[in-house]
Amino acid sequence: MAEHGRKSVWGYVGIWGVLVVLTVATWLLGTRGHLGHWSLPVALGIALTKTALVAMFFMHLVEQPGARRVVFPVSALFLALLLGLSLVEAMTRVRMARPDGPKALEPVRPASTRTAPPGSPTRRVGH
Amino acid sequence: MNPSTAGSLAEPTYLNHETTVRSWLLTRDHKRIGVMFLVLVISALLLGGVFAMLLRIELLTPGPTIMGPMTYNRVFTLHGVTMVWLFMIPAIPSAFGNFVLPLMLGAKEVAFPRLNLASVYIYAAGAALTVFGMVWSGADTGWTFYTPYSTTSPTAVTPILLGVFIIGFSTIITGLNFITTTHTLRAPGMHWSRIPLFVWAIYGTSVIQVVATPVLAMVLVLVALERVAGVGIFDPTRGGDPVLFQHMFWFYSHPAVYIMVLPAMGVITEVVCAFSRKNIFGYRMIAASTFGIAFVGFFSWGHHMFVSGQSTFGSGIFGVLSMLVAIFTAIKIFNWVATMYGGAIDLKVPLLYVLGFIFLLTFGGMTGVAVATTSLDVHWHDTYFIVAHFHYIMVGSVLMAFLAALHYWWPKMFGRLFPERWASVAACTIIFGFIVTFLPQFLLGNMGMPRRYYQYPSEMQWLNVLSTAGASLLAFGFGLIGLYLVWSLRYGKVSPANPWGSRGYEWFSASPPGPHNFREPPRFEREVHDYTVSEAPHVF
């Protein structure tokens, strides 16, 4: 605790400033950046940087070697696996349960191979 | 009465140094908290057992027997909720972990005694809310609360969800306390390679509790929000994904199987050593396999979802990952058998339960590998085969280990011996009753009887009658245990300090232990369960 008292307030203010700059950068990229496919990875990268800064300095992980070397990476690994495996499953899923409308359930066949339903006046019988 | 008993009786114990109700309600003594948890989880077991018997009686005949279909739906939900959330998850870690873990480590207390007391009250509050939901209008979702039905069911799902959510905090706190205690409060001489394997098991379990339980809390809150506020997280008509619920639910609830089974394995290791009079075979491999199970257990949740619409690719990955658990489990089973091989077997009651455990775990584990195979699971999914499988692996192992622990540590906890002959009769009844209850359910499932069904074709009746007969035997066995244990509290023989001649570290304290566990600080100068030393442990 005494160690905390010796820390410079300006250090925290500086990190807060970096967080503000990163937040503004996210907003600018989202509204005026037009990065296309890169929008999401860049936004996530900025978010991860901000998370790391908050965890390291405001949650004092930088002062806890054990937490920094073991708990933090293990937590990140578990989160990555939870999200990663769920996403891999979602990306490789065949959407049988929620098709894009009733037509998606019908196999599309060329008109020449289609048969008129029984009883239809256009159905030819005996040929 | 031997001299050590006379000495221990003359000194105050954790039971008699203060006897007021207030001293129990506000205690920070881990032993009293362990006993309070024991009473609570046994009450939950009783409640869940009553629901189980009602279900089995209903299934005696193909048509309606004692209840209507909606009541049946509620009863199987309440049976599952009570057994999983109120009994099996907290049973061994919270009751026996609290009692013996600090004793095994040579500590006076757990790291956070007040938080420990809070965990009892949080558990009790969550249990009360859950029981309130049951009494109010019950729930008919099954213990898994699958969406989208759980978001629309008119029954009292919300209070039960919140009750389970609250119990989750108790689990997290207990886990955190055990991790910190193991790291910081070990007695001199207790380096990492001497930590008893029960403590390793509880430590591994605690890591799962701390890492996984928040995910459960989150998903339960989301379901409650969807019910109350109509947010579209899981409801497909609002753009949600019901399969997402299953991912998030099983990310906790599959590791929760190991929250139940790992402490059970820890108990078995202790009891096997004590009644084989032999040091454990493969200490390091058993400790390592605990963490192997804990780690792989996190990444096999998708095997619950093979028929959910999950991708074939995902199912393949999860099937393979699930099978890996069998390797680590087999390591433990082979090591227990190797420990018994050539040992001076003393076939006392706790060891009877160990034998039951090993049979049920092996059988349940092998059927687990079968149901991790996607093609087979499609046939067995949501049939009684699955019911039988998870009862063998989860309920069988937790019950057997819980009863082994209860009998093994009963003299340590209460300073009394139980009648060995009655206890042996009860153990045989319970093991036999368990097998008769659930073995027919494998056959029923294979014949195609779906789980959660109220009615069934009449050609399946004889197997259902057999299953109900087994359940009656189980109920008789539990009644017998209740009777002789309560009897022994008053009339049982006073126990010597170490009635089993065990070399476990917890027997270094008096039986029952004093308020601060040890009269003088212990120093552990030999390996745990070292049966090469001839003398019984010195009581500190």
Side-chain angles (χ1 to χ4, degrees):
Chain A
M1 290 297 126
E3 197 185 346
H4 291 174
R6 288 199 297 275
K7 292 209 177 304
S8 163
V9 173
W10 290 108
Y12 291 113
V13 173
I15 292 158
W16 176 76
V18 173
L19 290 171
V20 171
V21 169
L22 288 172
T23 306
V24 172
T26 309
W27 176 73
L28 285 174
L29 287 170
T31 53
R32 301 178 192 184
H34 306 300
L35 294 180
H37 290 304
W38 285 99
S39 299
L40 187 62
V42 170
L44 283 176
I46 293 174
L48 279 175
T49 310
K50 286 162 69 180
T51 307
L53 285 174
V54 170
M56 285 296 166
F57 296 101
F58 290 111
M59 296 170 76
H60 301 283
L61 279 184
V62 73
E63 299 155 17
Q64 304 288 333
R68 203 173 65 230
R69 288 180 198 151
V70 181
V71 180
F72 196 48
V74 167
S75 307
L77 173 72
F78 274 89
L79 194 62
L81 284 165
L82 168 65
L83 293 177
L85 282 172
S86 300
L87 281 175
V88 163
E89 188 280 306
M91 288 164 68
T92 53
R93 200 184 299 171
V94 178
R95 291 201 171 271
M96 294 293 284
R98 202 179 59 180
D100 303 324
K103 284 185 180 171
L105 286 173
E106 300 286 335
V108 179
R109 293 189 298 173
S112 58
T113 63
R114 288 181 200 159
T115 315
S120 162
T122 57
R123 186 182 169 100
R124 291 182 295 173
V125 181
H127 290 276
Chain B
M1 192 181 293
N2 68 28
S4 68
T5 313
S8 66
L9 279 181
E11 290 180 19
T13 70
Y14 82 100
L15 290 167
N16 65 16
H17 80 290
E18 282 180 308
T19 52
T20 59
V21 174
R22 181 187 159 86
S23 73
W24 275 87
L25 293 179
L26 298 180
T27 185
R28 279 168 278 155
D29 185 340
H30 67 95
K31 300 180 289 298
R32 286 191 167 196
I33 290 169
V35 171
M36 287 158 76
F37 262 119
L38 188 64
V39 172
L40 288 168
V41 297
I42 287 176
S43 308
L45 174 65
L46 204 64
L47 189 66
V50 169
F51 288 132
M53 274 315 295
L54 291 175
L55 290 173
R56 286 315 321 167
I57 292 168
E58 169 50 43
L59 290 172
L60 266 176
T61 64
T65 311
I66 56 167
M67 63 181 89
M70 278 313 292
T71 311
Y72 180 81
N73 286 348
R74 286 175 179 160
V75 172
F76 77 65
T77 300
L78 302 182
H79 165 67
V81 167
T82 311
M83 284 303 212
V84 171
W85 306 112
L86 302 186
F87 173 68
M88 286 196 293
I89 288 179
I92 296 175
S94 297
F96 297 112
N98 255 316
F99 197 97
V100 297
L101 182 132
L103 291 173
M104 284 179 163
L105 293 173
K108 281 182 180 177
E109 249 307 335
V110 291
F112 307 116
R114 284 193 178 86
L115 214 53
N116 205 19
L117 178 64
S119 74
V120 180
Y121 288 112
I122 292 170
Y123 170 86
L129 191 55
T130 308
V131 173
F132 164 74
M134 295 176 189
V135 175
W136 187 20
S137 80
D140 57 353
T141 58
W143 72 273
T144 52
F145 311 116
Y146 267 16
T147 57
Y149 183 66
S150 62
T151 59
T152 54
S153 169
T155 54
V157 178
T158 307
I160 294 179
L161 284 174
L162 293 179
V164 174
F165 173 80
I166 291 170
I167 291 168
F169 281 97
S170 170
T171 308
I172 294 171
I173 289 172
T174 303
L176 200 63
N177 223 334
F178 289 159
I179 291 173
T180 318
T181 306
T182 310
H183 274 271
T184 59
L185 297 181
R186 300 194 310 277
M190 170 71 73
H191 44 76
W192 285 96
S193 63
R194 279 187 179 169
I195 288 180
L197 285 161
F198 179 70
V199 176
W200 272 122
I202 293 287
Y203 184 85
T205 306
S206 301
V207 172
I208 305 177
Q209 287 174 327
V210 171
V211 173
T213 314
V215 183
L216 174 80
M218 187 174 70
V219 73
L220 294 181
V221 166
L222 287 176
V223 174
L225 273 176
E226 188 135 330
R227 283 180 65 83
V228 175
V231 294
I233 304 286
F234 305 120
D235 183 355
T237 61
R238 296 191 183 100
D241 184 359
V243 179
L244 179 64
F245 170 84
Q246 295 189 32
H247 274 299
M248 293 166 80
F249 179 82
W250 287 115
F251 185 76
Y252 166 80
S253 296
H254 190 69
V257 173
Y258 306 113
I259 294 179
M260 304 169 206
V261 175
L262 282 180
M265 290 171 160
V267 170
I268 297 308
T269 310
E270 296 292 324
V271 175
V272 161
C273 291
F275 293 94
S276 304
R277 297 280 180 273
K278 238 178 110 187
N279 204 350
I280 189 71
F281 184 91
Y283 171 93
R284 284 170 194 272
M285 285 310 287
I286 289 189
S289 63
T290 298
F291 288 89
I293 291 173
F295 186 75
V296 176
F298 269 105
F299 306 116
S300 53
W301 78 86
H303 69 226
H304 295 267
M305 302 163 56
F306 285 160
V307 299
S308 67
Q310 175 180 254
S311 75
T312 314
F313 180 72
S315 294
I317 290 177
F318 284 120
V320 171
L321 286 169
S322 304
M323 289 177 194
L324 292 180
V325 179
I327 296 172
F328 298 112
T329 309
I331 288 172
K332 285 182 184 289
I333 293 174
F334 287 132
N335 279 308
W336 294 325
V337 175
T339 304
M340 285 193 275
Y341 180 75
I345 302 287
D346 188 9
L347 200 59
K348 289 270 171 39
V349 175
L351 195 63
L352 284 176
Y353 286 114
V354 168
L355 299 180
F357 175 95
I358 291 176
F359 171 76
L360 295 177
L361 186 80
T362 308
F363 202 98
M366 288 194 299
T367 54
V369 176
V371 295
T373 310
T374 46
S375 53
L376 294 173
D377 186 72
V378 170
H379 174 66
W380 284 324
H381 193 90
D382 268 344
T383 68
Y384 261 82
F385 193 93
I386 301 297
V387 176
H389 158 68
F390 77 72
H391 275 87
Y392 258 67
I393 200 100
M394 274 161 51
V395 185
S397 56
V398 173
L399 270 185
M400 294 298 143
F402 182 78
L403 293 172
L406 190 65
H407 288 84
Y408 179 53
W409 285 312
W410 185 262
K412 168 63 58 189
M413 296 175 95
F414 301 107
R416 298 276 179 172
L417 293 172
F418 49 82
E420 185 75 22
R421 190 167 295 176
W422 283 110
S424 303
V425 170
C428 294
T429 308
I430 284 194
I431 295 167
F432 183 66
F434 196 93
I435 293 168
V436 175
T437 306
F438 294 106
L439 203 58
Q441 295 184 10
F442 281 113
L443 304 176
L444 282 169
N446 207 36
M447 288 163 71
M449 178 166 168
R451 65 195 286 196
R452 307 194 184 100
Y453 269 35
Y454 174 69
Q455 293 178 317
Y456 54 83
S458 56
E459 58 264 33
M460 292 178 178
Q461 186 176 8
W462 72 276
L463 285 169
N464 274 295
V465 170
L466 198 59
S467 186
T468 305
S472 310
L473 277 177
L474 268 178
F476 173 74
F478 279 113
L480 198 56
I481 292 174
L483 283 177
Y484 70 69
L485 286 185
V486 171
W487 177 88
S488 85
L489 282 176
R490 187 169 176 84
Y491 303 107
K493 281 185 194 165
V494 174
S495 167
N498 184 6
W500 314 119
S502 171
R503 300 291 189 271
Y505 289 150
E506 72 275 27
W507 301 98
F508 277 80
S509 59
S511 300
H516 300 295
N517 292 352
F518 302 98
R519 290 193 287 265
E520 55 191 280
R523 184 177 179 84
F524 299 121
E525 288 166 346
R526 60 162 173 77
E527 302 302 314
V528 64
H529 288 299
D530 187 356
Y531 286 90
T532 58
V533 293
S534 55
E535 78 281 6
H538 167 66
V539 174
F540 286 92

